[in-house]
């Protein structure tokens, strides 16, 4: 059960999060993720993925971190009907459960390419400029490397998206210096300083950082 908000700001953020509802297929996938220790993107962040995939008329999407399929479902629902999702994860069991969720939602195997492996080993094999959207929800300390790969993979006008951009409310607190928090904080600096990108921070879920690629 969600905690009762204790301030107007918390109430507003809760309202924004609860504005985005999930059906039984998404809720089942979310429960699977909780059971195997693969926490998925929160509903507000998922809705942002669906919105952004729709906005760019996404036909080719890369996802780093399959989990049990929650983010993939949101992405597929926003993509073109002939679109393909390429999703990378180190855990084959998570991908097996994700495939069940995709099948339950009616997405055929031809629309989904699941690759088991470490993202930084897989991404260099994907085509330059061949993707409309890249979603990153993997190892936080690799986020800077994911950004470099995403910029290469995206076409101009494509979007890179990072989950956990506020990292459990730690990123905004400069006293928090653990490696994951520092990595996510540094990612924000990299995105803001890259003239090829136009960024947007959204306080949905655990924070969504998105950036449009303006040019190569």
């Amino acid at each position: 059960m969600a905690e009762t908000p204790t301030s107007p700001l918390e109430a507003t953020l809760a309202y924004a999060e609860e504005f985005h509802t999930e059906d039984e297929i998404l809720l089942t996938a979310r429960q699977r993720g909780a059971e195997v220790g693969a926490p998925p993107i929160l509903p507000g962040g998922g809705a942002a993925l669906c919105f952004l995939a729709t906005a760019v008329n996404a036909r080719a999407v890369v996802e780093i971190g399959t989990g049990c399929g929650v983010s993939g479902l949101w992405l597929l629902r926003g993509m073109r009907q002939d679109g393909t999702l390429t999703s990378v994860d180190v855990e084959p069991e998570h991908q097996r459960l994700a495939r069940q969720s995709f099948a339950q939602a009616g997405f055929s195997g031809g629309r989904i390419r699941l690759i088991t492996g470490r993202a930084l080993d897989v991404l260099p094999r994907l085509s330059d400029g061949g993707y409309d959207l890249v979603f990153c929800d993997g190892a936080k300390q690799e986020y800077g490397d994911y950004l470099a790969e995403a910029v290469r993979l995206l076409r101009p006008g494509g979007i890179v998206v990072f989950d956990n951009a506020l990292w459990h409310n730690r990123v905004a607190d400069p006293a928090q210096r653990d490696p994951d928090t520092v990595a996510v904080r540094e990612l924000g600096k990299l995105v803001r300083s890259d003239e090829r990108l136009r960024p947007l921070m959204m306080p949905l879920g655990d924070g969504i950082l998105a950036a449009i690629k303006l040019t190569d």
Side-chain angles (χ1 to χ4, degrees):
M1 181 180 295
E3 294 182 1
T4 302
T6 59
S7 71
L9 175 58
E10 288 179 346
T12 296
L13 292 174
Y15 175 83
E17 189 67 29
E18 293 166 6
F19 182 84
H20 308 96
T21 58
E22 295 184 319
D23 59 18
E24 287 301 318
I25 295 172
L26 276 164
L27 291 173
T28 298
R30 184 173 296 283
Q31 181 62 34
R32 287 171 178 153
E35 290 171 354
V36 300
I41 193 168
L42 291 171
L49 291 181
C50 185
F51 179 92
L52 293 170
T54 302
V56 297
N57 196 29
R59 184 174 184 178
V61 173
V62 174
E63 175 184 48
I64 301 169
T66 309
C68 292
V70 172
S71 53
L73 287 169
W74 279 110
L75 286 164
L76 285 161
R77 290 176 177 184
M79 294 167 62
R80 292 169 43 156
Q81 291 187 357
D82 61 347
T84 300
L85 173 67
T86 298
S87 187
V88 183
D89 202 293
V90 295
E91 295 290 346
E93 175 62 12
H94 294 175
Q95 290 190 322
R96 184 185 70 81
L97 294 171
R99 195 179 293 279
Q100 291 181 8
S101 299
F102 298 148
Q104 184 182 4
F107 293 111
S108 67
R111 292 202 56 192
I112 302 145
R113 179 171 61 153
L114 299 182
I115 302 175
T116 304
R118 183 171 172 263
L120 293 179
D121 294 331
V122 175
L123 297 177
R125 305 202 301 264
L126 304 182
S127 299
D128 292 11
Y131 296 90
D132 304 299
L133 190 150
V134 177
F135 172 56
C136 307
D137 189 13
K140 306 312 166 197
Q141 293 178 51
E142 295 181 350
Y143 266 17
D145 295 320
Y146 297 163
L147 175 64
E149 287 293 331
V151 171
R152 178 184 64 80
L153 293 171
L154 287 170
R155 62 167 174 82
I159 299 178
V160 58
V161 186
F162 291 87
D163 191 23
N164 305 118
L166 299 176
W167 196 232
H168 312 311
N169 299 315
R170 299 174 68 85
V171 170
D173 181 357
Q176 303 296 331
R177 301 293 301 171
D178 63 278
D180 285 346
T181 300
V182 170
V184 176
R185 191 179 292 134
E186 289 301 313
L187 169 74
K189 296 177 182 177
L190 287 172
V191 171
R192 283 194 304 179
S193 64
D194 193 324
E195 295 183 353
R196 298 169 297 177
L197 302 175
R198 179 162 294 155
L200 173 66
M201 178 72 76
M202 293 177 276
L204 292 168
D206 194 31
I208 298 294
L209 176 59
I212 296 173
K213 179 179 174 180
L214 301 175
T215 184
D216 288 318

